[in-house]
Amino acid sequence: MNTKVSKPILVIKFGTASITLPSGEPDVRIISEIARQVSEIHSQYRIIIVSSGAVGAGKAYVNDYKGTMTQRKAAASVGNPLLVGLYASYFAPNKIYIAQSLCERQHFANRNKFLQLKETFEELWSNGIIPIVNENDVVSDRELKFSDNDELATLLAVGFGAESLMFCTSVGGLLDEEGKILRNVSNVNEVFKFVRTDKSFLGLGGMASKLTFAKLASRMAIRVVIFGMNQPNELLNALKGEAGTLITPGKSTLSARNRWLGSGGLVSGTLRVDEGASKALLKRKSLLAVGVTEVTGDFEAGEIIEIYSSEDEMIAVARARETSSAIRTNLKTVNFEVAHANDIVLL
């Protein structure tokens, strides 16, 4: 019998402001520290690094750069190999190789594509290689607002069943009203009041984004840490719970398939349900059209949807059994099934 135990998965996301200089160029001091500290834990984890900063690294090569969508895509196409090259050069002294992985949302929406992505990562890990992940901005058909890669990192962590998800920020953690780092958070909803709405000078995301996805990850039993890279060995200390903000994970017994479904994948629409339907869902019942009060978005049967309560709280994600138009037409139809219980994941 094979008694080998797989190493836990660790996803580390680095935001633009945390790894770049004010000019937008990559901060080689920070990237060298990332490589050094990650190398120290490389033997203990299957590691994914999600790194922003491609646009900042490449924008100097785009003439008369004004930040238009086309220019951002061009900058990303130049900046991605430059950024990956830097990571490769600083990991090389530790004899650790890295691989570039440019992901698109469709890779998470389709279960088969997602499993192929996971199989590729498993092959990389088996060879001691660390994937450096970024969104494939060059062919993205929507604005470059992937929550500054927070969502991408969370989709990977939840779908792959990571033990820990780490968000690196320029401020080093979640700050309270006095500007001090909150060391431990057990209820994410209680700390949204501390979030500032302004953004970093280069990033598209913010702390609200990180908390939103931290909430999802913690519900899926993933340990979430928000940390910085401004103090010695801060990544290593944060992983041990000795720096940054630790968000306590909840408990989850979801299967791998339902973890993938629960990550939201590529959400195509939303439903709002009444109190009766909310109670039925909590009892692991299927969702019927008579309990749906609002349908938002256009989606096909089989696509992923979010389900909200009458109090505007997201309570589940599901794979739709019917199209959005069919659901709208049959809101008053008795026993018209919108989503089967086996395809609903409670949050």
Side-chain angles (χ1 to χ4, degrees), residues 21 144 151 224 241:
L21 299 168
L144 304 183
E151 183 178 9
V224 180

Side-chain angles (χ1 to χ4, degrees), residues 198-271:
D198 55 341
K199 301 175 182 177
S200 61
F201 62 94
L202 286 169
L204 290 172
M207 195 60 72
S209 164
K210 289 167 182 58
L211 286 179
T212 297
F213 293 112
K215 181 178 179 180
L216 170 61
S218 63
R219 282 177 169 176
M220 297 292 174
I222 297 173
R223 180 176 177 268
V224 180
V225 183
I226 301 173
F227 73 107
M229 287 292 295
N230 297 319
Q231 301 298 322
N233 293 319
E234 195 163 357
L235 189 158
L236 297 174
N237 291 333
L239 185 60
K240 293 185 290 186
E242 297 174 0
T245 300
L246 171 63
I247 298 174
T248 306
K251 295 181 179 180
S252 176
T253 58
L254 294 178
S255 65
R257 176 185 178 278
N258 280 349
R259 280 200 308 271
W260 164 76
L261 180 59
S263 71
L266 179 59
V267 175
S268 300
T270 62
L271 302 179

